[in-house]
Amino acid sequence: MAAAATCGSVAASTGSAVATASKNNVTSFQRRGRRASGTNDSGPRLVSITGTRPSVRNGQLLVSTGLPALDQLLGGGLAVGTVLLIEEDKYNIYSPLLFKYFLAEGIVNGHTLLVASAKEDPANILQELPAPLLDDKCKKEFDEDVYNHKTPESNIKMKIAWRYQLLPKMEQIGPVSSSRFGHYYDASKRMPQELIEASNWHGFFLPEKISSTLKVEPCSLTPGYTKLLQFIQNIIYEEGFDGSNPQKKQRNILRIGIQNLGSPLWGDDICCAENGGNSHSLTKFLYVLRGLLRTSLSACIITMPTHLIQNKAIIARVTTLSDIVVGLESFIGSERETNPLYKDYHGLIHIRQIPRLNNLICDESDVKDLAFKLKRKLFTIEAEVQKGVSTATFLLDGPRKKLFPCLFQLLEVACIPWLMASSSVFKASNIGLSPYVTNSLVFFLLLSFTFKDPCNYIGRT
Amino acid sequence: MFVELNNLLNTTPDRAEQGKLTLLCDAKTDGSFLVHHFLSFYLKANCKVCFVALIQSFSHYSIVGQKLGVSLTMARERGQLVFLEGLKSAVDVVFQAQKEPHPLQFLREANAGNLKPLFEFVREALKPIDSGEARWTYPVLLVDDLSVLLSLGMGAVAVLDFIHYCRATVCWELKGNMVVLVHDSGDAEDEENDILLNGLSHQSHLILRAEGLATGFCRDVHGQLRILWRRPSQPTVHRDQSFTYQYKIQDKSVSFFAKGMSPAVL
């Protein structure tokens, strides 16, 4: 009976480690004994899946969206079993990037991918994924034998974040041995061919599937949606992501990506007519998809051209049926392009909804005015510059692998009571730029202490 | 069950009124904390609860229920709770042909006219057992949430009919209570939803409306709760009572305070 209990038991048993210990002045990463959940029959020990981590708040299993900055804004990442809906920007320039980051993250972590599109062949989408940024040490590890557990990292004793040495090693499922959560990608380079070929992916290209004669169950959805649902359900069952297949024991995540859902290419007319005949098709699809996701180890990203939907009621319903909703608004063609306030940015990013899963509250970011910027190689999300107050830049030095996990986790500890915006923010002057800095992701925090050089900070504490 | 909300509503699990329809409504915020409150309230009151959960999975309610002091798995095992998990049932209905009528049968049909199978399910779940001993005090029907039925292709009139049938059975015949949640779409011009909301507002005895603050997001005050008592059956000589409070949701409880009296401000 692992199907319905998967999410619940996964949440309960992995979550005991990081429950609300922060209230008792104990570090929130203290490991407690596993709560004996009555329905936990998923084996003797729950193995950590690569690329996932339990949420700090309620132990919910999270996967990265591919953009560490977005993960931070969403409360740590995308919860397994939920849908991330991206409302496309007007000319569909930036939303495919987020889509690709999500898929690239899946390949780097060794997750199974399911790519569905009505416009582009999924094989072509995979060819255009951005290359992950791995530094030299990680490249060496990547070339080594996968089963060699003696990685150089394990020999080096951690000085500051020594508790992490007590955590078990992540089981190596994918070819890439970096066990980090959230990677950086170089948007100007393509993902290496060997990584794509080593990954397990399934493609759903609507023009091909619509002509084949799959047995279609009677349903009032448009044929495209029905076929897609059946395809997804088939993969989930065949590969054992919902635990109901007795032959397949799957301990991996299925990442589903659906592009341009709701556009006329899917056979849906909500973008063309206000009160079309299929006005319930999309919402029914989302509901059944939600049912499939909640009972399996999968996470889904959907991009939807909501700016084209004529009926606002449908947008409201779609928002209710999705878990996380992120809206992109690019400045191209609008009057904001010439506004001096926005001259550094390419658009605004709105976090419209964050779910409250297994909890009464959710991790909302206090910063609501967020803008994004696509630099030559990276996609950054920043809080909008307020008048007269300059915001602090915190540059994460990505490729310094030893430093980074400690820094990132420490940052998380520092930010757990989401530091309130104080007016005493300042510009970090000299960050000790290294050549790798331009490749890292910039993200804003309003902090109450100075940052000069990440190395110095570690030394100081 | 939030003790502060019980105080505001002037009820306790021991002496709750019977035969009432409570409408939960949320506008621009998430009102699901009210559903968790009533679920744990009626389970603690030793009522037989039929929960039609259309929007979240069983484990979600179970985990929050544990924080509020009720165990949904145990309640289900001993027969106190009948749980219809909409998401799981929808997957079963859509992908496998069902032999017997399923409560969510309308998902398979192109033009489903009514919610009769769902009503049959509710009636079957809450009908009193003739074994003689009265284990449970009175039946309660909880629906979370009704707006999803509109998204799944039912018309507002069909949903109102369903509520009417349930009210006749649960509230009048079996002297139980009903609690339903409806989203208020606000300015999204959702006509069907407005019809449903207005129709239910006129039928209900108690309306709890969770609204987001008009001024936007605040870390210390999560929203505003409007409580409205009505007497739909009797001609109202007195004006309906209405109170407004602001609230902040914490990990295991919700604290209520008068407008502007948030502890963070004082």
Side-chain angles (χ1 to χ4, degrees):
Chain A
M1 234 298 286
T6 312
C7 289
S9 63
V10 159
S13 49
T14 55
S16 51
V18 289
T20 54
S22 53
K23 284 205 191 120
N24 307 328
N25 288 332
V26 177
T27 167
S28 47
F29 292 98
Q30 183 178 34
R31 214 163 153 70
R32 289 213 298 226
R34 274 155 42 88
R35 221 181 288 151
S37 158
T39 51
N40 188 7
D41 56 351
S42 44
R45 184 154 181 86
L46 188 68
V47 181
S48 305
I49 308 173
T50 319
T52 63
R53 70 171 174 193
S55 148
V56 173
R57 183 171 288 289
N58 56 5
Q60 184 84 23
L61 202 63
L62 300 176
V63 293
S64 170
T65 55
L67 275 182
L70 189 61
D71 288 340
Q72 202 71 14
L73 291 167
L74 298 180
L78 177 65
V80 168
T82 59
V83 170
L84 166 62
L85 180 76
I86 309 264
E87 294 184 351
E88 292 174 8
D89 52 308
K90 207 159 150 201
Y91 301 106
N92 202 17
I93 298 175
Y94 300 106
S95 43
L97 276 176
L98 294 186
F99 190 76
K100 284 175 186 153
Y101 281 128
F102 186 82
L103 297 177
E105 185 70 26
I107 289 192
V108 166
N109 285 317
H111 297 159
T112 308
L113 297 185
L114 197 164
V115 187
S117 174
K119 196 162 71 165
E120 261 182 280
D121 197 342
N124 293 344
I125 297 178
L126 286 179
Q127 294 300 319
E128 291 170 6
L129 292 183
L133 285 171
L134 307 165
D135 67 1
D136 297 332
K137 182 174 287 179
C138 258
K139 275 213 186 77
K140 214 168 37 160
E141 289 171 3
F142 166 60
D143 291 331
E144 275 174 3
D145 187 7
V146 178
Y147 297 106
N148 180 13
H149 288 291
K150 280 203 167 51
T151 58
E153 279 176 359
S154 59
N155 296 336
I156 295 168
K157 287 176 81 62
M158 296 187 178
K159 288 201 181 68
I160 300 284
W162 52 273
R163 278 199 186 265
Y164 297 108
Q165 277 194 277
L166 307 176
L167 290 179
K169 272 231 157 320
M170 297 282 207
E171 192 180 75
Q172 309 293 347
I173 296 183
V176 183
S177 55
S178 78
S179 56
R180 223 175 43 183
F181 184 87
H183 297 82
Y184 298 116
Y185 297 93
D186 186 352
S188 60
K189 296 204 193 103
R190 293 287 150 92
M191 167 103 38
Q193 196 60 27
E194 54 267 12
L195 275 180
I196 301 178
E197 277 160 22
S199 68
N200 182 16
W201 65 273
H202 306 272
F204 180 95
F205 187 38
L206 188 66
E208 282 170 16
K209 303 280 182 176
I210 202 84
S211 51
S212 73
T213 49
L214 263 179
K215 182 171 165 307
V216 182
E217 293 282 337
C219 209
S220 61
L221 301 172
T222 47
Y225 294 156
T226 319
K227 287 245 163 69
L228 178 57
L229 275 177
Q230 283 190 307
F231 185 77
I232 295 175
Q233 194 258 347
N234 216 24
I235 301 285
I236 289 180
Y237 178 71
E238 295 285 317
E239 308 225 341
F241 287 105
D242 61 354
S244 63
N245 196 344
Q247 282 106 28
K248 211 64 204 300
K249 278 276 163 228
Q250 182 65 260
R251 276 287 146 211
N252 202 357
I253 304 279
L254 173 68
R255 283 190 185 231
I256 305 175
I258 308 178
Q259 218 179 20
N260 301 124
L261 192 69
S263 74
L265 289 170
W266 283 97
D268 200 352
D269 62 352
I270 49 168
C271 292
C272 318
E274 183 145 357
N275 287 315
N278 286 329
S279 52
H280 300 292
S281 211
L282 180 63
T283 41
K284 261 195 192 178
F285 171 83
L286 287 174
Y287 187 76
V288 181
L289 178 69
R290 190 178 207 182
L292 281 173
L293 291 177
R294 286 287 199 270
T295 51
S296 62
L297 282 174
S298 43
C300 181
I301 188 170
I302 301 181
T303 64
M304 190 180 289
T306 45
H307 58 98
L308 293 177
I309 297 180
Q310 311 279 327
N311 195 350
K312 285 212 286 184
I314 295 184
I315 303 178
R317 289 177 187 179
V318 160
T319 305
T320 318
L321 288 171
S322 318
D323 297 296
I324 304 184
V325 181
V326 171
L328 290 176
E329 184 191 332
S330 78
F331 294 147
I332 298 177
S334 76
E335 67 271 5
R336 288 181 179 170
E337 207 170 1
T338 48
N339 191 334
L341 192 65
Y342 295 128
K343 67 170 160 47
D344 292 328
Y345 304 107
H346 288 120
L348 299 177
I349 185 164
H350 307 280
I351 313 274
R352 299 207 201 274
Q353 182 176 274
I354 295 183
R356 293 164 193 233
L357 290 170
N358 301 335
N359 222 322
L360 288 169
I361 33 180
C362 59
D363 268 325
E364 276 188 271
S365 156
D366 285 336
V367 184
K368 296 289 176 188
D369 303 312
L370 298 159
F372 68 86
K373 169 165 50 181
L374 180 66
K375 289 198 199 155
R376 196 166 57 90
K377 283 186 181 181
L378 53 108
F379 189 101
T380 72
I381 301 178
E382 306 168 356
E384 281 175 51
V385 175
Q386 309 289 323
K387 263 194 232 171
V389 175
S390 60
T391 45
T393 319
F394 177 71
L395 280 173
L396 286 179
D397 199 357
R400 293 207 212 155
K401 284 297 170 288
K402 261 186 302 181
L403 199 57
F404 176 68
C406 309
L407 201 57
F408 193 71
Q409 303 287 4
L410 276 168
L411 210 71
E412 225 184 16
V413 171
C415 286
I416 279 166
W418 274 107
L419 297 177
M420 199 48 213
S422 58
S423 52
S424 63
V425 294
F426 51 87
K427 209 172 190 115
S429 46
N430 166 26
I431 309 282
L433 296 176
S434 71
Y436 299 112
V437 162
T438 49
N439 299 337
S440 8
L441 206 67
V442 173
F443 81 163
F444 273 96
L445 286 174
L446 302 172
L447 300 167
S448 55
F449 39 77
T450 330
F451 267 94
K452 280 233 141 188
D453 180 19
C455 286
N456 282 344
Y457 168 69
I458 291 295
R460 231 185 283 150
T461 52
Chain B
M1 175 173 91
F2 307 132
V3 180
E4 288 193 34
L5 187 54
N6 280 347
N7 295 339
L8 293 179
L9 296 176
N10 212 8
T11 61
T12 58
D14 314 320
R15 49 178 193 86
E17 290 184 324
Q18 289 181 249
K20 303 289 175 201
L21 168 64
T22 305
L23 175 67
L24 308 175
C25 176
D26 58 12
K28 287 204 176 77
T29 185
D30 192 354
S32 54
F33 68 97
L34 295 169
V35 175
H36 295 299
H37 162 82
F38 280 105
L39 178 61
S40 53
F41 179 89
Y42 284 119
L43 282 177
K44 282 189 180 163
N46 214 22
C47 302
K48 177 123 196 233
V49 177
C50 175
F51 191 4
V52 178
L54 297 172
I55 200 77
Q56 295 284 6
S57 59
F58 177 75
S59 54
H60 167 82
Y61 295 105
S62 171
I63 291 174
V64 182
Q66 274 176 352
K67 293 190 182 191
L68 299 183
V70 289
S71 168
L72 290 188
T73 20
M74 286 194 52
R76 194 159 65 162
E77 275 163 26
R78 61 171 186 252
Q80 188 186 7
L81 173 67
V82 177
F83 197 96
L84 174 66
E85 192 169 349
L87 292 171
K88 202 155 74 100
S89 312
V91 171
D92 292 335
V93 163
V94 167
F95 291 112
Q96 293 153 32
Q98 302 286 319
K99 292 169 217 69
E100 1 171 286
H102 192 274
L104 299 183
Q105 192 72 22
F106 60 89
L107 283 174
R108 287 183 74 87
E109 296 150 20
N111 279 319
N114 52 33
L115 285 164
K116 196 147 178 271
L118 189 58
F119 166 67
E120 302 284 338
F121 171 83
V122 169
R123 194 173 57 178
E124 189 62 36
L126 288 181
K127 74 165 186 237
I129 312 166
D130 304 321
S131 61
E133 54 166 77
R135 283 184 74 187
W136 317 117
T137 44
Y138 51 88
V140 172
L141 170 65
L142 231 72
V143 183
D144 179 23
D145 58 63
L146 277 185
S147 309
V148 169
L149 290 173
L150 296 178
S151 306
L152 293 177
M154 302 307 303
V157 177
V159 181
L160 282 172
D161 286 343
F162 164 71
I163 293 291
H164 179 79
Y165 271 80
C166 286
R167 216 158 59 93
T169 312
V170 176
C171 292
W172 188 80
E173 190 184 322
L174 300 172
K175 305 276 185 298
N177 284 346
M178 273 175 65
V179 180
V180 295
L181 175 78
V182 179
H183 291 300
D184 186 1
S185 50
D187 56 350
E189 296 152 14
D190 194 344
E191 285 174 8
E192 298 259 303
N193 204 22
D194 290 338
I195 295 174
L196 179 63
L197 188 59
N198 289 334
L200 281 177
S201 305
H202 284 290
Q203 293 177 28
S204 42
H205 297 90
L206 173 64
I207 303 179
L208 293 176
R209 204 182 143 87
E211 298 165 346
L213 293 176
T215 43
F217 170 75
C218 174
R219 214 167 57 111
D220 298 303
V221 179
H222 290 150
Q224 191 165 286
L225 183 71
R226 285 235 295 257
I227 307 176
L228 178 63
W229 278 277
R230 300 188 67 249
R231 277 166 182 60
S233 46
Q234 296 149 19
T236 45
V237 178
H238 311 283
R239 207 177 286 154
D240 298 330
Q241 274 187 311
S242 163
F243 294 123
T244 309
Y245 299 96
Q246 290 180 343
Y247 61 87
K248 177 174 179 178
I249 306 179
Q250 282 132 12
D251 190 42
K252 291 190 181 179
S253 66
V254 179
S255 60
F256 293 88
F257 34 85
K259 272 207 231 183
M261 307 287 272
S262 157
V265 169
L266 293 175

